[in-house]
Structure formats: structure tokens, C-alpha cells
Amino acid sequence: MCGISGTIRFRGTVDRHLIERQRDTMVHRGPDSSGLWCSADERVGFGHRRLAIIDLSPGGHQPMIDSETGTVITFNGEIYNYVELRDRLRAKGHLFRTHSDTEVILAAYREWGIDCVPHLGGMFAFALYDESKQRVLLARDRAGEKPLFYRVNDEQFTFASEAKALLADPSCPRRLRAQSLNEYLAYGYVSGENTMFADIRRVAPAGRVVINLATGAIAHDSYWTLPRTASAASSADPEALVEELHELLKASVRRQLMADVPIGVLLSGGVDSSIVTAIAAEVSGSRIRTFTARFPGHSGFDEGPYARMVADHLGTEHIELEAKAADASLLQSLVAQFDDPISDSSMIPTFLVSQEIRKHATVAIGGDGGDELFGGYHKYPVQVQAERLRAVLPRGVRRFAAYAAESILPVGTPGRGFAKSLAGTAGDGLANSGRIFRADERARLTDALRPLDQQLLLAPEMLRSRAFEDRKTALQRATALDFSTYMVDDVLVKVDRSSMLSSLEVRAPLLDIDVIEFAFSRVPDSLKADRSNRKLILRRLGEQLLPKRLDLTRKQGFSVPMDSWMKHEWRDQLDGAQAQTHGLISPAAFKTYRGRLDAGLPIGERLYSLLFIQLWSERFAVTDVV
């Protein structure tokens, strides 16, 4: 795992010192070594920070130059199928001087050009300069596990693993994009290629960007799309699918256990991480180490007993880590690290756990992706049930139920949101799911949204309501939407930034391309979620691999006692944010929601989203809103 950066000049030459400064804003991503390379004409410059995982020798140093062609690469991530690719390329006559996966990418490019990218399996973001063709290729993995930001103007194209590296350039504007703020307040993150900064964008998952140095042309395309469920999936044998999933996961975990540094498994006791742990124990040639975190004083958030049960059953070397308490300095550190903000408070335990694991290992394997691939969120049975009721209940009955819920039931009453969703379409249900603040609430939170008319204010909801309309069922639409938005732009951002702040690489075997395509094309709805159950195929596999007394229906999530922290540990932070009369979020908004918190309403997470974006705007000195 590494940090990459670079500049491609359309006019003039690169500033070596600036590339070094941008590169070194990301020391946490690569504390082991650094590198800088510039082309002979000084129009292209690449920077690199290295966290050595595979081939720890100097032969793995980057930027790496192809000794045959002179092609240069700066690469972040892991190519899990690099051994198989290397064998294929050797059979075609390619020679290798190192054992690194980076060199395999260079050889693959030598063989297939820009079409090398679909051959790569893993998590990656890289930039590659081909002097002979006067072009630069940027690419990102299919699931979006590894980040890649860029900024382009008339003079240059700059890129980096983190937005803060681009902001190290004094000429980079710090303008906030109003529609991104609108989306953040709606759902807690910004999706797609936009960022919170108006002048910084992201390469899309499965995206390629080709820059022609001769003409200055920049071409974007996608080398992969999320598959749709095949019509034959509904008639497949469930037991055969469970066995196929087991074999796919064994292959994925086996590849991801490869490393030249200490490696461990993140074990929460939930079904996803427990299955990954069981398979790691099955395919590893030695006893595996598992890690779980405890939060002293907050027993309701402690998953230790479940993790211990799994670890004892599998005979792992189990280590319980006691995470330190959250304080004001921790929050400020996370604000600085999340230069493209999300409001997911589980970043806190993710960072605290990463910090402790890094004392024992350099690589950790986790269970991310299981919910989106196999129907794990609590909202999925609700959406299945709502779809059934929309099909059988007359529209008038559904509208009356929604009206009654809106008029009679207090906010927070169980079932209120479900009844309201019946009046609309499946798309409306997707738009309302996971929303933090309604459009009318968002308009009152900040003056930055005042220029947006009603249609623009509702843009985040409209985008979700129309997403994946070609999918046959509400469940297929919901999982595809969550995979493409929430997972990419919240879950994986949280994991990448929180872990890399401690120089820990986290891998996700469930996001292997073969597992992704199996989940979306081969697994029917009936093995994902029904009206009362979730993650059915994983639970069937778990019944074979895990302790019989483990509750496979339990889903706690990586949660924290946010209401308590807001009332106590972070009260001074809230006081300071509320006192900012010229801050991004209005003092009146903080006062309103603090009053509700003090009245006993469970709105700590909503307050956290406001506090985080307020501190973020101060930390990154946002100038204006466009």
C-alpha cells in the first residue's frame, strides 16, 4: 500500500519541489521509502511513498521504470493475481527482475497496452507514463477500494491518492461545491466523481483516464460494469451456489494472505468477518492471528464475546485490543485525514482498531462488502416487503397509510418511515433510505445552500430514485445502488483513510472480482434477503463453518456511543462550532439539535455530521461556495 502523486504539464515543466511536497503530505501511506521521477523533457513527474508489503527489497522501489521500454509507473495497492499473470506473461516471453506486482503491471502494459487493466485483479490505483506514445494512463480498481484524485486546468493535470496532496499546491482553489455539500448533508458523503472541492475530482471505480501529451486531450472510460442478475439465477440449486461461493472465497482469501510482512484478520464476530476468518484458517498453512477491539466502559458496543467464540472454535491466535477513549485531538486528526469528508462515525473505531493492530501486523483482512453483495442491511427486508405491498394494495390505501403516518406518528416511531414509503415508488424508497437530513432541513442548516432552488435541493434524492431502474426488483436496485455509492464513497473511504493513517493495509476478500460478479449475476434474491431475513447465502455457508451457537442473524455494525460522546467528551467541540458565527453550519442549527440531544432524542449521529463538516471547513480553509 502506498501514496502516489504526479503532474503532467501541457505547457512548461514540472516543479520537482512541489511534487515532493505533495508526495510527503502522505507519509502515513508510505513510511518505508519515497521516490521521485521526472521525464527527460520535465513535462511529467511522479512521486511515491512506499509501504512495503510484497518484495521488500530495493527492487520494489517506485516509481518503477520498465527496463525494456522506459515506461514508468507509480502504483498504490495490491494485484492479487500477479503470480498467475506473471506466469502468463513469462510464457509470452516477458522477463522479470523482481518479485513485485508492480513490475507485473508494467509487463502487462507492454503486452496489452491500456487493455492491460481488465487483466488486473485486486485493489489498485496507478499512473503510467508511456514516452513512446506520449500518453499517461490512470486507472482505478473495480470496487473503488483505492482512491485517486485529480485536478486539471489549462496548464496541467495533477493527481494524488489524497486530496490534501493536491491542496499542497498554493494555486489549487479551496472552493466548496454547493451540490456536494447538499449531498453530504443528505446522505453523509459525496458520490461519483465529484468531491467536496469544486476543483478536485475523483477517477471513478473501474475508470481509466488517458492523457495525450501531444494534443492535451483527456479521455475517460470504464473497463468494467456491475453485472445484472441473470434470468437463470432463480432456478439455480441453492446448495450448489453455497459451495461455489465457498470455493470462490477460498481462492480469494488464499491470494490475499500473500504478503512478506505480518498479517492478521479483523474479527468482529459478525457473519462476514467470521466467515473470512474461518476460510483463512482453512487455507492458511499456519495458525492465523485474529484481532478484535473492546471499548472499555461501553459494554453495549463490545463485540468481544462473539469474536472470542469464533476464535476459540477455529483455534486462532486471538488478540483483544483495548481501544483508547475518543477525545478532541482524535477528532481533529480524523478531520485532517478525511480531506474529502464523510459523516460516518464508525471511522473512529476503525481508526482506533487500526492503530492497535499496526503494533502487531502490517496487513489486516476484513469482511467489507458482504452487506452490499449479499443483502446484509436491515433495510433490505423492508424494501422487499414494501415492494410486495405496492403490488397488492390499491394506491389510495397506500397514500392514506402514508398520510396517517406523517400526521399521527411522531418522528422516530418504528414503522413510520415504512408506511410513508408505501405512497411512492421503489425509487422513492431508495431515496429515503439512509437519509440524514431532508431537503427542507438542509436548507436551514447553512447559507451555502441558499442559492439552490427546490429542484436542485432535491437533486441527491432524485439521483438515487432513478438509479439502476433497469434492475428487475427493488432488492437488486438497492444492492447495486449501495455497492456503487455507499460502499465506494463511505465504507471504503472510511477503511482506507482510517487504516492508512496508521500505515496499515486492509484487504477485503469479499470484493474479489470473481466474488462480486458471482454475487450480482448468479445469486437470486431468494438467497440474499426476503421479507424477514438477510444475507441468506452467507448464513448457509456460516452454518457449515462457524460455531452452532453463534447468532448468524446478529448485525451490530462498528458503532460508537455517539450520544454520550456528544454530551460529554466532545461538548467543548460543539461549543466552539456553535460559536462560529461565520462558520459553514449556522449556530442556530447546532443549538436546535443540541437541544434535542439534551432532551433525550437519539440524534448524536446527526450532530456528528454537522460538527465534522464544520471542523473540516475550518481545517481546510474553504474560501467560497460555487
Side-chain angles (χ1 to χ4, degrees):
M1 198 65 60
C2 305
I4 66 174
S5 61
T7 299
I8 300 98
R9 294 287 301 187
F10 304 129
R11 292 195 295 270
T13 59
V14 299
D15 181 339
R16 288 171 174 262
H17 297 299
L18 177 58
I19 295 174
E20 289 179 334
R21 189 162 66 247
Q22 292 176 313
R23 176 198 68 191
D24 291 343
T25 63
M26 302 180 291
V27 171
H28 51 277
R29 299 190 77 92
D32 295 330
S33 66
S34 64
L36 174 69
W37 173 90
C38 291
S39 61
D41 61 7
E42 297 197 337
R43 291 185 62 196
V44 179
F46 288 170
H48 192 268
R49 294 289 330 186
R50 186 185 185 198
L51 176 63
I53 302 292
I54 293 175
D55 189 352
L56 309 186
S57 73
H61 183 77
Q62 293 190 53
M64 183 179 288
I65 303 173
D66 187 332
S67 58
E68 291 189 27
T69 65
T71 298
V72 185
I73 188 171
T74 183
F75 159 59
N76 171 31
E78 304 291 345
I79 305 301
Y80 298 128
N81 66 335
Y82 83 99
V83 174
E84 301 97 308
L85 266 180
R86 188 174 58 198
D87 291 342
R88 286 177 60 193
L89 291 163
R90 273 182 175 148
K92 291 176 177 288
H94 296 273
L95 301 177
F96 295 88
R97 58 184 178 85
T98 75
H99 299 288
S100 74
D101 52 351
T102 309
E103 188 181 16
V104 172
I105 302 176
L106 286 170
Y109 178 81
R110 194 189 314 144
E111 178 68 28
W112 296 299
I114 66 171
D115 290 329
C116 70
V117 186
H119 292 272
L120 306 176
M123 55 179 184
F124 57 84
F126 66 81
L128 182 151
Y129 170 57
D130 182 343
E131 182 181 16
S132 66
K133 290 186 169 57
Q134 281 293 286
R135 72 184 179 196
V136 174
L137 165 67
L138 280 74
R140 193 174 173 206
D141 66 76
R142 297 166 182 83
E145 289 185 75
K146 293 297 101 188
L148 190 53
F149 295 86
Y150 70 92
R151 173 185 170 229
V152 61
N153 58 30
D154 292 339
E155 294 187 347
Q156 64 183 13
F157 182 108
T158 54
F159 66 88
S161 296
E162 296 182 4
K164 66 173 63 66
L166 301 179
L167 294 169
D169 181 350
S171 72
C172 183
R174 294 171 180 250
R175 303 185 301 170
L176 185 146
R177 181 176 178 266
Q179 196 55 260
S180 293
L181 176 63
N182 187 28
E183 187 175 6
Y184 169 91
L185 292 173
Y187 297 106
Y189 56 90
V190 181
S191 60
E193 296 180 48
N194 293 309
T195 74
M196 195 64 74
F197 293 103
D199 300 277
I200 296 176
R201 294 175 63 79
R202 295 181 285 211
V203 176
R208 282 184 301 204
V209 181
V210 178
I211 304 160
N212 187 317
L213 274 76
T215 66
I218 302 173
H220 300 253
D221 77 344
S222 179
Y223 61 88
W224 177 83
T225 56
L226 191 65
R228 286 183 286 186
T229 306
S231 56
S234 59
S235 60
D237 176 21
E239 294 308 315
L241 288 175
V242 172
E243 183 55 32
E244 184 176 355
L245 175 59
H246 189 187
E247 292 301 317
L248 288 172
L249 287 175
K250 284 198 290 185
S252 175
V253 171
R254 188 179 292 112
R255 285 193 292 263
Q256 296 196 27
L257 283 173
M258 294 175 61
D260 296 326
V261 292
I263 190 168
V265 181
L266 291 162
L267 175 60
S268 69
V271 65
D272 299 342
S273 68
S274 296
I275 285 176
V276 168
T277 303
I279 293 174
E282 183 180 359
V283 303
S284 175
S286 58
R287 188 184 185 199
I288 64 169
R289 285 193 294 176
T290 52
F291 300 92
T292 193
R294 296 181 59 251
F295 293 89
H298 299 287
S299 58
F301 299 89
D302 185 8
E303 296 188 299
Y306 306 101
R308 273 194 303 278
M309 185 192 306
V310 174
D312 290 343
H313 178 77
L314 298 173
T316 73
E317 179 189 342
H318 190 56
I319 300 171
E320 290 192 348
L321 306 171
E322 189 169 292
K324 66 180 183 181
D327 56 23
S329 64
L330 170 64
L331 182 56
Q332 291 289 355
S333 296
L334 290 173
V335 167
Q337 174 68 343
F338 282 76
D339 41 27
D340 196 31
I342 62 172
S343 70
D344 188 341
S345 65
S346 64
M347 68 172 68
I348 300 164
T350 303
F351 168 66
L352 293 174
V353 169
S354 298
Q355 198 174 43
E356 294 301 315
I357 290 176
R358 187 61 176 89
K359 299 173 183 177
H360 304 268
T362 309
V363 175
I365 290 178
D368 292 309
D371 290 314
E372 294 81 6
L373 267 61
F374 298 108
Y377 292 122
H378 287 293
K379 63 185 177 182
Y380 293 147
V382 173
Q383 288 161 342
V384 171
Q385 174 75 325
E387 183 175 46
R388 188 188 73 86
L389 291 177
R390 288 190 193 99
V392 299
L393 292 178
R395 179 176 296 181
V397 173
R398 290 189 284 115
R399 285 181 171 174
F400 177 78
Y403 172 77
E406 176 78 23
S407 305
I408 300 172
L409 298 179
V411 174
T413 303
R416 182 177 186 266
F418 175 76
K420 288 176 61 181
S421 72
L422 293 178
T425 64
D428 296 330
L430 294 178
N432 292 330
S433 178
R435 187 172 56 182
I436 303 172
F437 297 102
R438 298 188 314 268
D440 60 310
E441 293 174 314
R442 301 196 296 268
R444 293 192 293 269
L445 292 174
T446 173
D447 290 341
L449 299 186
R450 187 164 293 176
L452 302 184
D453 60 24
Q454 186 66 14
Q455 184 176 358
L456 288 176
L457 268 175
L458 287 169
E461 286 91 342
M462 295 305 298
L463 285 172
R464 279 165 172 71
S465 69
R466 296 168 181 169
F468 297 99
E469 289 180 314
D470 60 340
R471 308 279 160 152
K472 293 180 180 179
T473 67
L475 180 60
Q476 290 173 22
R477 287 184 67 180
T479 53
L481 178 64
D482 284 336
F483 179 92
S484 304
T485 57
Y486 175 66
M487 186 191 77
V488 174
D489 300 315
D490 183 306
V491 175
L492 296 181
V493 171
K494 169 194 69 180
V495 171
D496 176 81
R497 306 306 189 278
S498 298
S499 61
M500 290 311 298
L501 188 54
S502 298
S503 304
L504 176 75
E505 174 176 299
V506 175
R507 301 176 176 180
L510 286 162
L511 293 179
D512 179 272
I513 180 57
D514 292 336
V515 178
I516 293 171
E517 294 195 333
F518 168 80
F520 278 97
S521 65
R522 302 283 311 287
V523 180
D525 287 10
S526 60
L527 281 178
K528 291 186 177 180
D530 57 26
R531 285 178 286 169
S532 55
N533 299 291
R534 302 169 292 105
K535 216 177 291 189
L536 293 166
I537 190 171
L538 282 180
R539 284 167 53 184
R540 288 196 184 201
L541 181 56
E543 289 168 359
Q544 299 176 16
L545 304 176
L546 301 173
K548 300 301 180 187
R549 57 198 181 96
L550 181 67
D551 182 5
L552 297 178
T553 66
R554 183 184 66 88
K555 182 172 180 57
Q556 178 172 312
F558 218 175
S559 52
V560 295
M562 186 53 68
D563 288 347
S564 173
W565 286 356
M566 283 292 172
K567 290 178 179 179
H568 303 104
E569 285 88 344
W570 291 346
R571 194 162 189 89
D572 289 344
Q573 297 280 334
L574 281 174
D575 288 341
Q578 185 173 332
Q580 289 291 326
T581 55
H582 299 291
L584 186 63
I585 303 300
S586 75
F590 279 109
K591 183 177 181 180
T592 296
Y593 286 99
R594 289 183 72 175
R596 294 175 184 176
L597 179 73
D598 292 339
L601 295 177
I603 60 165
E605 294 290 342
R606 300 178 99 191
L607 260 176
Y608 180 79
S609 68
L610 297 181
L611 177 60
F612 198 91
I613 194 66
Q614 182 89 318
L615 295 175
W616 174 87
S617 65
E618 296 169 11
R619 171 65 178 77
F620 289 98
V622 173
T623 54
D624 54 0
V625 181
V626 295

